[in-house]
């Protein structure tokens, strides 16, 4: 079930492709390249209720995307090479960087064989609580509970609310309502709510996290491959806008320390945890610079330009969203046109 927003965006991407506007825009807005954001890579599910489908692409689409960007003249490079090319505009081919957030096991099982086959460097950003089974995968817990029940009951600001979840449409309505309410909570309240919610509906968050996230042994297996860069992604993957500066510093510092202890190498690259596109700002960018990371990627949508040489701690990315698994949409996104419009007709947005 596609939201009105998703339907609108798909129509816009389709219109850009069919009109050829992206081809005219690319020489002016295509920039130096792009960093792609991915999460899960797994076979397509036939289940009707999939509110987190946006976080998944299929192995087939990943392989076709790799072939498409190379056929279009892009090199696929690692973050170190991307930073070098940003500092040397006009001297290299356009490039794409592949980045995977959260360290899910399906990256090892389904994405890695394809990436290895095509000799593609890539980065995996690991929240260090996840390999220990301590990740708060609340969005997935909410999905699973709603999937399995015909009604759920929660308490919002002291008021009991009951949601009927006996149809696919009702499940989506309940999920969206609760999901966006949870996004308003601070980190402690969100954790407290999910502890009670999971206990009430017998959902084992620890077991689910261990099932979905790579173990430390599996992360080390990937890290041993020169194609792979392991980046930092805080400890708990908390919503960026809902934690204090002191907590953010602690999360970044501890995440890097734990990765170094586990893998023997201090991570040089960082990914801000989830939040709205503008959740990371000057304060956050300055923190990662102070901590010595060479690059930091954000949730801001955008293409890379020469001006980003002064903002390597605030790099935008292009999401490979599970609702938009179309090579023509990928062509449009890499033209830079949608992001130029999205960012208020600015190419570089780091305010």
């Amino acid at each position: 079930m596609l939201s009105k927003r998703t339907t609108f965006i798909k129509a816009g991407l389709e219109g850009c492709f069919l009109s050829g506007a992206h081809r005219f825009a690319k020489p002016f807005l295509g920039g130096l390249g792009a960093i792609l954001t991915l999460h899960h890579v797994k076979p397509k599910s036939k289940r009707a209720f999939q509110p987190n489908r946006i976080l998944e692409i299929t192995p087939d689409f990943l392989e076709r995307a790799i072939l498409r960007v190379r056929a279009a003249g892009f090199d696929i490079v690692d973050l170190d090479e991307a930073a070098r090319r940003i500092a040397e505009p006009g001297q290299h081919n356009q490039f794409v960087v592949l980045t995977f957030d959260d360290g899910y096991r399906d990256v090892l099982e389904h994405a890695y064989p394809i990436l290895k086959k095509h000799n593609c460097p890539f980065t995996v950003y690991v929240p260090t609580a996840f390999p220990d089974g301590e990740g708060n995968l609340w969005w997935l817990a909410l999905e699973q509970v709603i999937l399995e029940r015909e009604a759920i009951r929660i308490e919002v600001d002291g008021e009991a609310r009951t949601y009927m979840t006996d149809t696919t449409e009702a499940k989506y309505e309940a999920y969206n309502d609760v999901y966006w309410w949870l996004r308003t909570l601070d980190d402690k309240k969100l954790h407290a709510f999910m502890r009670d919610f999971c206990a009430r509906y017998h959902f084992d968050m620890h077991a689910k996290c261990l099932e979905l996230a790579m173990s430390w042994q599996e992360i080390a297996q990937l890290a041993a491959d020169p194609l792979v860069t392991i980046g930092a992604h805080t400890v708990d993957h908390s919503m960026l806008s809902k934690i204090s500066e002191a907590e953010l510093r602690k999360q970044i510092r501890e995440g890097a320390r734990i990765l170094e202890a586990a893998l023997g190498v201090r991570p040089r690259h960082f990914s801000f945890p989830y939040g709205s596109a503008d959740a990371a700002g000057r304060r956050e960018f300055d923190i990662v610079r102070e901590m010595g990371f060479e690059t930091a990627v954000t949730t801001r949508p955008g293409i890379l330009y020469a001006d980003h040489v002064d903002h390597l701690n605030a790099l935008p990315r292009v999401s490979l969203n599970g609702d938009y698994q179309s090579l023509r949409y990928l062509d449009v996104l890499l033209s830079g046109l949608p992001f130029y419009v999205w960012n208020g007709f600015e190419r570089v947005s780091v305010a």
Side-chain angles (χ1 to χ4, degrees):
M1 177 180 289
L2 298 180
S3 67
K4 291 181 180 179
R5 181 176 183 273
T6 299
T7 301
F8 177 79
I9 292 173
K10 290 183 77 168
L13 294 173
E14 192 74 20
C16 283
F17 182 85
L18 293 176
S19 69
H22 68 296
R23 291 193 294 273
F24 291 105
K26 187 177 179 182
F28 307 100
L29 301 176
L32 305 176
I35 302 173
L36 303 186
T37 308
L38 303 94
H39 290 83
H40 294 280
V41 178
K42 57 175 63 174
K44 185 177 181 179
S45 171
K46 295 182 179 179
R47 201 176 70 211
F49 178 61
Q50 298 181 67
N52 289 296
R53 179 176 54 190
I54 61 171
L55 300 177
E56 303 176 6
I57 66 168
T58 65
D60 175 68
F61 181 69
L62 173 62
E63 185 161 35
R64 289 189 295 121
I66 289 169
L67 296 174
R68 184 72 155 217
V69 298
R70 282 183 167 161
F74 290 84
D75 296 332
I76 297 177
V77 304
D78 62 20
L79 285 165
D80 293 319
E81 177 63 14
R84 185 173 76 87
R85 292 192 183 195
I86 291 171
E88 300 173 348
Q91 300 184 39
H92 308 279
N93 290 342
Q94 284 184 296
F95 62 87
V96 160
V97 182
L98 300 171
T99 64
F100 296 82
D101 283 8
D102 304 347
Y104 295 114
R105 180 168 286 116
D106 52 63
V107 173
L108 175 64
E109 293 177 345
H110 297 295
Y112 182 53
I114 295 169
L115 297 162
K116 187 74 172 176
K117 171 184 173 182
H118 293 284
N119 197 37
C120 295
F122 64 99
T123 296
V124 179
Y125 294 109
V126 177
T128 53
F130 282 29
D132 296 323
E134 301 302 323
N136 182 23
L137 304 176
W138 61 268
W139 57 96
L140 297 177
L142 180 63
E143 175 182 346
Q144 192 66 35
V145 168
I146 291 176
L147 173 68
E148 295 174 352
R149 285 163 178 80
E150 295 190 348
I152 63 167
R153 182 180 179 277
I154 66 170
E155 189 173 290
V156 179
D157 299 327
E159 173 192 350
R161 294 186 185 178
T162 298
Y163 293 92
M164 298 307 299
T165 54
D166 53 342
T167 67
T168 298
E169 184 178 2
K171 290 180 187 297
Y172 272 105
E173 289 177 358
Y175 181 89
N176 290 332
D177 198 39
V178 179
Y179 173 90
W180 288 109
W181 171 69
L182 289 173
R183 288 282 297 260
T184 69
L185 301 182
D186 64 34
D187 202 50
K188 290 183 179 180
K189 289 181 179 178
L190 176 58
H191 278 257
F193 174 87
M194 288 310 301
R195 281 195 299 271
D196 293 342
F197 183 80
C198 290
R200 177 184 301 167
Y201 292 108
H202 310 292
F203 182 89
D204 190 335
M205 184 84 79
H206 180 74
K208 178 57 69 172
C209 192
L210 289 176
E211 173 193 337
L212 294 179
M214 283 187 286
S215 67
W216 284 114
Q217 181 178 3
E218 290 168 326
I219 293 169
Q221 175 187 336
L222 274 184
D225 189 327
L227 287 173
V228 182
T229 298
I230 302 298
H233 200 28
T234 71
V235 175
D236 292 332
H237 193 263
S238 298
M239 196 186 315
L240 186 58
S241 60
K242 301 298 182 180
I243 57 177
S244 66
E245 179 178 341
E247 179 63 20
L248 177 61
R249 287 181 178 276
K250 178 182 177 182
Q251 289 273 330
I252 297 174
R253 183 173 57 252
E254 283 300 294
R257 183 191 65 78
I258 293 168
L259 282 173
E260 183 176 13
L263 304 176
V265 178
R266 182 173 177 79
R268 303 187 314 279
H269 304 282
F270 177 77
S271 173
F272 287 102
Y274 75 106
S276 60
D278 60 354
R282 296 290 182 182
R283 179 194 71 166
E284 291 76 18
F285 302 153
D286 288 344
I287 289 172
V288 294
R289 181 191 292 114
E290 291 168 12
M291 293 190 176
F293 289 100
E294 295 177 19
T295 72
V297 296
T298 70
T299 57
R300 297 186 180 206
I303 296 293
L304 300 171
Y305 298 99
D307 289 346
H308 279 110
V309 72
D310 296 321
H311 306 287
L312 294 178
N313 56 339
L315 297 175
R317 290 192 283 178
V318 174
S319 175
L320 283 195
N321 185 308
D323 282 336
Y324 307 99
Q325 294 185 70
S326 165
L327 295 180
R328 58 173 59 185
Y329 296 164
L330 180 59
D331 292 346
V332 173
L333 293 172
L334 292 178
S335 76
L337 179 57
F339 307 115
Y340 183 63
V341 176
W342 176 275
N343 291 318
F345 304 102
E346 292 183 3
R347 297 200 308 174
V348 177
S349 175
V350 295

